[in-house]
Amino acid sequence: MSIDITSRIVGKRVAAVLSNGHVLQIRTECGAELSLVWLDDNGVPLKGRPVIAESGVRLQARGIRDLIHMPGIARGQ
Amino acid sequence: MATYNKFQDYAEQLNKGVHNWSTHTFKAALTNSAPVATNTVLADITQLSTGGGYTGGAGGGLALDTVTLSEASGTAKVTIADEVFTASGSVGPFRYVPYYNDTATSPADALICWFDYGSSITLATSEVFTLDHDATNGLWQLV
């Protein structure tokens, strides 16, 4: 997959850059993520040029707490 | 962070027994048209058309594979495993992700809530869209 890295993150605020030695992941505050690995000319990891292994969007799906309102009951009861 | 919005009708349909979070099938649809809180069923939503691995129309959307209802100390909680969708072609643009009950028949495909990403997204081939659910607090709690 060939994707221009700059166009994916330009103008966005980076929230985190993570690496485990094999994959470099860039996360932005708006939720965009880039995971980068390096391949040599033979496609062998860890040498050569960096390419995007995966890109995508993470939607932080945070919910709510709903209350059951019971207007006939006074506080403390 | 995406913002959560509740469809108003959900409060009624929940109490009518339309939604069973333990047994029903729930799905997340994709749309670039802003839902409104008074929408009640999936047919009110202008979904993306089928393409790029996404299925639109009735029964369309991304199936939420692992939905768990639990209760502790009087608080019911619904947790959902992260949903990961990999596009096989261009998908989008979309900005809103409404959740609905695919099992419900009356009303059919009753709506629950929607998330607003804040800007439109277009996925290219092999790009990944992740619905990152809160494993601790869940999607929804009833206190």
Side-chain angles (χ1 to χ4, degrees), chain A residues 13-18 25-29 31-34 58:
Chain A
R13 186 183 296 274
V14 174
V17 178
L18 310 172
Q25 186 176 76
I26 300 173
R27 295 181 179 181
T28 69
E29 289 187 350
E33 291 186 358
L34 292 176
R58 182 176 298 270

Side-chain angles (χ1 to χ4, degrees), chain B residues 4-94:
Chain B
Y4 174 97
N5 304 272
K6 184 174 70 177
F7 289 109
Q8 295 172 359
D9 191 54
Y10 175 65
E12 177 182 351
Q13 301 307 331
L14 182 67
N15 285 290
K16 286 182 174 178
V18 169
H19 299 287
N20 185 331
W21 285 98
S22 291
T23 62
H24 287 179
T25 297
F26 296 88
K27 293 185 177 181
L30 304 178
T31 176
N32 206 37
S33 300
V36 294
T38 51
N39 288 155
T40 59
V41 293
L42 181 65
D44 296 334
I45 303 296
T46 304
Q47 282 189 77
L48 296 185
S49 300
T50 296
Y54 179 80
T55 301
L62 314 176
L64 303 175
D65 298 321
T66 305
V67 179
T68 303
L69 172 66
S70 62
E71 182 274 333
S73 302
T75 297
K77 179 171 67 176
V78 171
T79 54
I80 304 175
D82 290 353
E83 183 63 31
V84 179
F85 167 72
T86 303
S88 59
S90 180
V91 175
F94 64 92

Side-chain angles (χ1 to χ4, degrees), chain A residues 1 3 8 29-33 54-68, chain B residues 1-2 4 6 97 115 117 121 125-134 139-143:
Chain A
M1 179 171 57
I3 295 177
R8 289 287 166 171
E29 289 187 350
C30 69
E33 291 186 358
E54 177 183 295
S55 70
V57 175
R58 182 176 298 270
L59 188 150
Q60 302 283 351
R62 299 294 183 261
I64 61 169
R65 288 166 64 92
D66 267 6
L67 299 174
I68 297 176
Chain B
M1 182 180 298
Y4 174 97
K6 184 174 70 177
V97 184
F115 288 96
Y117 183 70
I121 304 163
T125 301
S126 80
E127 285 200 303
V128 176
F129 177 62
T130 303
L131 286 171
D132 187 349
H133 296 112
D134 188 330
L139 172 73
W140 180 79
Q141 293 187 19
L142 184 61
V143 180

Side-chain angles (χ1 to χ4, degrees), chain A residues 20-24 36-51 53:
Chain A
N20 65 2
H22 302 281
V23 177
L24 175 69
L36 309 176
V37 299
W38 282 258
L39 304 176
D40 67 12
D41 292 341
N42 297 315
V44 179
L46 300 179
K47 290 183 178 180
R49 59 188 173 82
V51 299

